[in-house]
Amino acid sequence: VNSTGAEIRISFGSGIAGHVASTGEAVVIRDAYSDPRFDRTVDRNTGFRTRSILCVPLKLKKGVIGVVNLINKTGEGLLAKELQMGASSS
């Protein structure tokens, strides 16, 4: 569910969310448009401009059941800095 209350579904393996779902590893992307894994379809369809992404997998014992995306970070924050130590970053 996005900030407008609409649900956005991404195919497993497609885009940043699909990459995180398939690998089970969090990623921090500072410039979405410079990352080859980024799928611009949702931005084109909504008119939104994604700049940065923090994407983490939701896991249960059986594996990844989904992902959480935080988009267009503003200000400084501890979480992103800590995740960067253990996540791939662009």
Side-chain angles (χ1 to χ4, degrees), residues 50-69:
T50 302
R51 294 183 309 276
S52 59
I53 302 170
L54 168 62
C55 188
V56 296
L58 295 173
K59 296 180 180 180
L60 293 177
K61 288 182 182 179
K62 66 180 183 176
V64 176
I65 61 165
V67 299
V68 173
N69 271 319

Side-chain angles (χ1 to χ4, degrees), residues 8-85:
I8 298 174
R9 290 187 174 261
I10 308 295
S11 300
F12 189 83
S14 175
I16 302 295
H19 170 79
V20 170
S22 64
T23 65
E25 296 181 10
V27 295
V28 175
I29 308 294
R30 292 188 180 132
D31 180 4
Y33 279 77
S34 70
D35 192 299
R37 300 168 293 187
F38 180 65
D39 180 354
R40 301 172 187 205
T41 305
V42 173
D43 277 10
R44 276 195 300 266
N45 292 341
T46 63
F48 188 78
R49 174 71 179 190
T50 302
R51 294 183 309 276
S52 59
I53 302 170
L54 168 62
C55 188
V56 296
L58 295 173
K59 296 180 180 180
L60 293 177
K61 288 182 182 179
K62 66 180 183 176
V64 176
I65 61 165
V67 299
V68 173
N69 271 319
L70 300 178
I71 298 178
N72 294 347
K73 179 182 178 303
T74 58
E76 289 296 317
L78 190 57
L79 180 60
K81 289 177 183 175
E82 289 177 347
L83 267 176
Q84 284 178 318
M85 291 180 204

